[in-house]
Amino acid sequence: MVPPESPRHPRPPRIALVLPGGGARSAYQVGVLKAIAGWYPAGAPLPFRILCGTSAGSILAAGLAAYASRFRCGTAMLDRVWRSFHVGQVFRVDQPTMLRTGAHLLLALASAGLLLSPPPAVFDNTPLRRLLEGRVNFARIRLALDAGHLDALAVTATSLGSGDSVSFVQAANGFEPWMRSGRRGIGAELGLDHLMASAAVPFLFPSVPMDSDHFGDGAMRQLTPLSPALRLGAERILVIGVREPGRAPLGAAVTGSPSLGQLFGFMLETLFMEGLQSDLERLQRTNELLSREPARGAPGLRRVEPLVLLPRSDLSAVALRHMSELPRSLRMLLRAMGAAQAAGGQLTSYMLFESGYTRALIELGRRDAHSRREEIEAFLGLGAARSDEEQAAQAQ
């Protein structure tokens, strides 16, 4: 439960953590979170009452939720997993599997689907399911909610039947489902299928059947990624993105027609980040309106303070420096798609689940967080809490 408010100790603001998708780039989010956790005492609980994740961000959010009573332990677990990552833990890239998939796809295309139906996806991501089975403890998530260490965990996926953005919410109590044009929030006891569905990037990974429907990556139809946090009562929202600000959509200058790899990388960046930027602009406009005319705000509107953390480095360039770590079969595929050159590094940066790259991104996230430590601590109220502790110690 949220601590009760008193004249001397006002209730702390309800802070939500929003983690957009980013494939392998989500290692950057791990670095930011690990840095923040290090600013808290060893046994401190998670400072975020609400966790909202999409795609790879949903996996991080679920991992944190399971350790909501001990923030540092949760980020240490995520750090261990991401530091030791290999592509084979996410999808199968052994040469026989890749050859079978390629032959299957070619035969299906050549016969117009008459001899063989197209494969459900390019990659088989059953290794990811096995990894999550051993790393995400859903029983602990329920215990964290029951113990009051967390108010809600929301995992967003896309319904391929209705086209809606569906946020599956596991809440401590008082959850009110919502339905708006193109988006829904429904209560659920979260499990592996929800995480696999949220991270089912179209074309790359197969969709997941649930509740007489099929679901794919949550970013596909998530035009308002801040909506779940707002609906769940967030008063402040910390967003950790994975795309550096101000970069051209296709990265390096393109001469001639963009390659397939460049276009696919552009699609992934659009999928994971464009809705977030638009939603942040809408939130800022609402805050400005309420600041100018607070008494005339529409019913239900409230001021919500956002803080956005984005990489200061070009993650695509970092990925290209580590491309040699990829298995040979995947490296050949990316080269064939034109994703091995500077202008095609975006696609590689989302798929490079190898420890050299993920460790580099964790370090970048840690450094970026420390460079903004004062701002982040003020946003989380950590400085005020530390002052209270120091005053109490002096009084003794």
Side-chain angles (χ1 to χ4, degrees):
M1 297 293 290
V2 177
E5 185 171 0
S6 71
R8 291 188 60 187
H9 299 283
R11 178 182 64 80
R14 185 173 285 110
I15 305 174
L17 174 66
V18 173
L19 297 170
R25 287 186 176 210
S26 288
Y28 176 85
Q29 297 169 320
V30 174
V32 172
L33 289 166
K34 187 180 180 186
I36 294 173
W39 306 336
Y40 285 84
L46 192 71
F48 311 105
R49 303 300 308 175
I50 300 162
L51 297 173
C52 300
T54 302
S55 198
S58 70
I59 296 171
L60 300 187
L64 286 176
Y67 286 88
S69 63
R70 298 177 68 86
F71 186 24
R72 279 197 191 180
C73 289
T75 57
M77 181 275 292
L78 294 176
D79 181 68
R80 285 194 301 272
V81 172
W82 284 80
R83 279 186 180 276
S84 60
F85 244 136
H86 296 288
V87 169
Q89 294 175 293
V90 181
F91 52 93
R92 295 184 64 184
V93 288
D94 56 283
Q95 198 161 10
T97 297
M98 296 287 283
L99 287 173
R100 281 197 303 271
T101 301
H104 185 159
L105 182 60
L106 287 173
L107 184 57
L109 290 173
S111 67
L114 296 176
L115 296 179
L116 199 62
S117 299
V122 173
F123 299 114
D124 174 1
N125 62 347
T126 52
L128 177 61
R129 179 178 283 272
R130 289 196 296 269
L131 177 68
L132 296 180
E133 283 176 341
R135 293 293 182 175
V136 181
N137 190 326
F138 292 96
R140 287 188 61 155
I141 294 175
R142 169 43 61 193
L143 289 174
L145 290 162
D146 291 344
H149 296 301
L150 187 67
D151 290 344
L153 168 64
V155 169
T156 299
T158 300
S159 165
L160 301 181
S162 67
D164 289 346
S165 174
V166 181
S167 294
F168 296 98
V169 179
Q170 189 168 352
N173 50 51
F175 170 68
E176 290 285 341
W178 69 82
M179 182 175 292
R180 293 292 183 269
S181 176
R183 64 185 190 275
R184 288 180 277 145
I186 59 177
E189 193 75 17
L190 294 174
L192 278 174
D193 281 346
H194 297 96
L195 300 187
M196 293 297 294
S198 183
V201 179
F203 184 68
L204 296 183
F205 303 135
S207 61
V208 177
M210 288 191 297
D211 302 326
S212 303
D213 196 353
H214 276 74
F215 290 84
D217 196 286
M220 282 193 284
R221 295 281 291 175
Q222 196 177 34
L223 302 179
T224 56
L226 301 183
S227 176
L230 295 172
R231 290 278 171 188
L232 291 168
E235 295 162 332
R236 294 183 184 176
I237 301 177
L238 177 65
V239 182
I240 307 176
V242 295
R243 186 179 78 180
E244 57 277 16
R247 194 163 65 82
L250 284 176
V254 177
T255 56
S257 298
S259 68
L260 179 61
Q262 285 176 267
L263 292 173
F264 202 83
F266 173 63
M267 184 203 78
L268 290 178
E269 283 219 344
T270 303
L271 189 71
F272 291 134
M273 291 300 294
E274 294 306 318
L276 175 62
Q277 299 301 327
S278 301
D279 213 15
L280 284 167
E281 290 174 5
R282 280 191 289 269
L283 179 59
Q284 288 166 355
R285 287 197 297 269
T286 300
N287 286 342
E288 289 170 3
L289 173 65
L290 293 175
S291 296
R292 289 196 304 265
E293 301 181 82
R296 296 181 58 187
L301 286 182
R302 68 184 190 281
R303 182 177 179 83
V304 178
E305 183 181 354
L307 178 63
V308 183
L309 305 178
L310 299 173
R312 296 187 300 171
S313 303
D314 184 346
L315 303 191
S316 298
V318 178
L320 289 174
R321 293 199 294 270
H322 291 272
M323 190 171 183
S324 61
E325 300 172 21
L326 285 170
R328 184 170 179 269
S329 56
L330 182 56
R331 201 162 62 241
M332 291 174 62
L333 174 62
L334 290 171
R335 282 179 176 155
M337 296 174 67
Q341 305 302 318
Q346 286 165 285
L347 177 58
T348 302
S349 73
Y350 286 102
M351 299 181 65
L352 214 166
F353 290 94
E354 291 293 337
S355 60
Y357 175 63
T358 56
R359 290 182 184 194
L361 264 55
I362 289 171
E363 178 59 20
L364 287 174
R366 189 193 66 81
R367 281 190 292 179
D368 284 358
H370 279 291
S371 71
R372 299 178 64 180
R373 177 170 179 171
E374 186 175 342
E375 180 185 8
I376 297 169
E377 285 191 336
F379 183 82
L380 297 176
L382 185 55
R386 189 177 291 125
S387 297
D388 287 344
E389 291 174 1
E390 291 171 353
Q391 290 175 7
Q394 290 172 0
Q396 293 175 358

